Amino acid sequence: MAQVYDIVVVGGGIVGLGTALALKAREPQLRLAIAEKGARVAGHQTGHNSGVIHSGLYYKPGSLKAQLCVEGGRRMVAFCQEHAIPYRLCGKVVVATETAELDRLAELHRRGTANGVPGLRRLGPDELKEIEPHAAGVAALHVPSTGIVDYTRVSEVMAELLKQQGVDLLLNAEVTGVREEPGQLQVTTGQGTLLTRQLINCAGLHSDRVARLMGVEPDVQIVPFRGEYYFLRPERANLVRGLIYPVPDPALPFLGVHLTSTVHGRVEAGPNAVLALAREGYTRTSFKGSDLWETLRFSGFQTMARRFWRTGCYEYYRSFSKRAFARSLQKLLPAITVDDLAPGGAGVRAQAITSQGALVDDFRIVHAGRASHVLNAPSPAATASLAIGEHIAQTARETFARAN
Ligand SMILES: Cc1cc2nc3c(=O)[nH]c(=O)nc-3n(C[C@H](O)[C@H](O)[C@H](O)COP(=O)(O)OP(=O)(O)OC[C@H]3O[C@@H](n4cnc5c(N)ncnc54)[C@H](O)[C@@H]3O)c2cc1C
């Protein structure tokens, strides 16, 4: 006998878990399941990120990212307080290392103010040293509301709460097929068949594929970009007090290599951004022919690659050259040397790219029939997960109610 649900959420990352929590908070009687293909929650982007609670500085005012990051950051801090999850509002500095970056720094200040980020302050070189004694720059922006947390821990607590609320968390339950039937969907998973009235696709690196399983042809494809980290050797961790970021390149959706304290007392340096040769390709040698072929033959990727080939080549060079990585960090932190860097982990970002080759910047959520698809949820989606969940729960239920 197939299990029958009101809603099946595909994906046990922080966005799927946040969405399930919001759905249950709105309608406690819902019969809900989460189908996760891995053996645990948070096994992909959520468990391989920088652990930053972003403040909402970078995003275009009025965008979903701007709205949901500021609100989501507040909710994330409240969630950590309520459930005794370690976090720290350590603050961050965004450092302009040359005068050519000053206009972009001023634009960040304007955006942050427009987005309601509290306490922003422009710093001169001496004021920067008071906050981060080893950082160097011509000017900086201090963002005191930025924090750090372990999103794997947050996700585990979310999963536990959901189980207590009667949600079925199905692990090793990859969704491999979805068939539309009168009044319901038949969902084939690694743990058997589920029947559901509605489905919410939060499958991260595979969200475009899950949408296609349902006959939806999204205008975007996920292209995986690996981000590699180093750790600062423990005896050099005192070089960094909080978070030190460069001024990002507005043409790219990534923030540039930065230095991040973690709640576990270490300092991470990174991540860079290289094309991953597999959607779940966490090492340089990870390779999956079908994933790579899907990327290479995608017209959007080809257009993007023609535009950014120089940046791409440099990122590859820096991926193989620890010296080049150290040189990037030295712009922010002159005292750092190659010997201070020890190997760290890596994460893979699910970046949606349009068929015209544009890197989708904002969160993208599409509602179609009985399903809603989260087709782009890059950084700061971990920070914003509780607010994204609330947004999806509201829009998905309203769209579904109108259509049925
Ligand atoms: C290197 C890096 C650094 C980052 N730093 C930050 C940061 O500091 N702060 C921040 O806010 N954000 C950061 N992010 C972004 C953040 O991690 C992601 O935006 C967020 O985790 C996305 O969550 P998700 O649930 O959408 O995706 P995921 O965590 O990837 O979860 C998707 C889940 O879906 C499952 N799944 C996929 N296909 C199927 C299927 N067919 N059936 C069933 N299950 C399936 C996967 O197994 C996975 O568990 C970073 C990301 C990366 C990669």
Side-chain angles (χ1 to χ4, degrees):
M1 267 294 277
Q3 286 284 345
V4 182
Y5 295 99
D6 295 306
I7 304 181
V8 169
V9 175
V10 183
I14 201 163
V15 173
L17 297 165
T19 302
L21 277 176
L23 286 163
K24 268 300 211 185
R26 292 177 144 256
E27 299 174 73
Q29 77 291 352
L30 278 179
R31 291 165 303 171
L32 200 63
I34 299 176
E36 163 53 50
K37 81 178 166 63
R40 60 184 176 93
V41 297
H44 290 287
Q45 296 176 91
T46 303
H48 293 87
N49 60 34
S50 304
V52 176
I53 306 176
H54 285 292
S55 61
L57 182 69
Y58 299 102
Y59 320 113
K60 203 166 154 196
S63 63
L64 272 181
K65 274 189 179 176
Q67 292 165 36
L68 300 178
C69 181
V70 177
E71 172 59 22
R74 264 188 236 118
R75 287 182 187 223
M76 185 56 65
V77 168
F79 186 84
C80 292
Q81 284 169 346
E82 190 181 341
H83 299 286
I85 299 169
Y87 75 99
R88 186 156 70 89
L89 294 183
C90 54
K92 121 170 154 182
V93 286
V94 182
V95 180
T97 56
E98 45 192 79
T99 49
E101 292 173 345
L102 290 177
D103 284 350
R104 280 192 264 142
L105 192 71
E107 175 57 20
L108 283 185
H109 199 164
R110 271 193 294 278
R111 282 191 174 191
T113 306
N115 293 342
V117 179
L120 288 179
R121 190 161 64 96
R122 167 86 172 222
L123 308 174
D126 294 338
E127 292 162 306
L128 169 61
K129 292 231 174 282
E130 283 166 25
I131 294 171
E132 287 289 354
H134 299 279
V138 293
L141 196 57
H142 184 221
V143 195
S145 59
T146 306
I148 48 175
V149 71
D150 177 344
Y151 286 114
T152 300
R153 180 79 198 113
V154 172
S155 302
E156 287 164 354
V157 172
M158 287 176 166
E160 202 42 54
L161 287 172
L162 287 164
K163 282 194 255 176
Q164 286 165 13
Q165 292 169 22
V167 173
D168 287 339
L169 178 57
L170 310 171
L171 300 175
N172 301 308
E174 179 172 8
V175 171
T176 52
V178 184
R179 210 174 70 204
E180 181 111 35
E181 295 183 342
Q184 62 185 10
L185 300 168
Q186 191 185 72
V187 185
T188 310
T189 80
Q191 297 289 346
T193 302
L194 316 175
L195 297 176
T196 182
R197 284 159 54 73
Q198 199 180 351
L199 180 146
I200 301 183
N201 163 13
C202 302
L205 285 154
H206 302 276
S207 56
D208 56 341
R209 290 177 174 167
V210 171
R212 278 192 206 101
L213 277 182
M214 300 193 62
V216 173
E217 211 26 75
D219 176 39
V220 293
Q221 183 172 308
I222 296 294
V223 173
F225 286 94
R226 191 175 58 257
E228 297 151 330
Y229 292 94
Y230 287 95
F231 282 118
L232 289 201
R233 293 195 187 283
E235 62 276 18
R236 297 290 274 167
N238 61 355
L239 289 176
V240 179
R241 284 183 178 169
L243 309 173
I244 307 177
Y245 277 61
V247 177
D249 178 346
L252 297 170
F254 310 129
L255 298 180
V257 292
H258 42 262
L259 293 134
T260 319
S261 302
T262 73
V263 275
H264 304 296
R266 306 188 76 166
V267 176
E268 280 183 346
N272 57 359
V274 291
L275 179 71
L277 307 183
R279 290 215 183 184
E280 294 171 8
Y282 290 96
T283 65
R284 280 193 211 122
T285 51
S286 311
F287 172 83
K288 194 169 174 192
S290 54
D291 285 0
L292 183 59
W293 176 237
E294 198 181 7
T295 298
L296 294 179
R297 74 192 169 120
F298 172 47
S299 63
F301 173 74
Q302 293 163 7
T303 309
M304 186 212 69
R306 276 195 294 275
R307 200 168 142 220
F308 290 114
W309 68 271
R310 272 197 191 86
T311 311
C313 289
Y314 177 70
E315 287 289 334
Y316 259 105
Y317 164 63
R318 191 167 59 179
S319 164
F320 282 92
S321 166
K322 194 173 162 189
R323 271 182 202 289
F325 206 102
R327 271 199 303 276
S328 300
L329 295 169
Q330 277 161 355
K331 288 188 191 159
L332 298 168
L333 205 65
I336 211 164
T337 68
V338 172
D339 296 336
D340 296 333
L341 302 176
V348 183
R349 306 172 181 89
Q351 176 61 50
I353 296 187
T354 68
S355 42
Q356 289 78 39
L359 294 132
V360 179
D361 189 37
D362 207 359
F363 298 144
R364 184 171 292 195
I365 301 153
V366 171
H367 306 284
R370 294 187 171 275
S372 300
H373 305 278
V374 181
L375 294 173
N376 197 47
S379 185
T383 303
S385 51
L386 291 163
I388 296 178
E390 180 59 36
H391 175 80
I392 297 173
Q394 187 186 338
T395 51
R397 291 304 271 165
E398 281 170 7
T399 319
F400 181 72
R402 271 199 302 276
N404 291 277

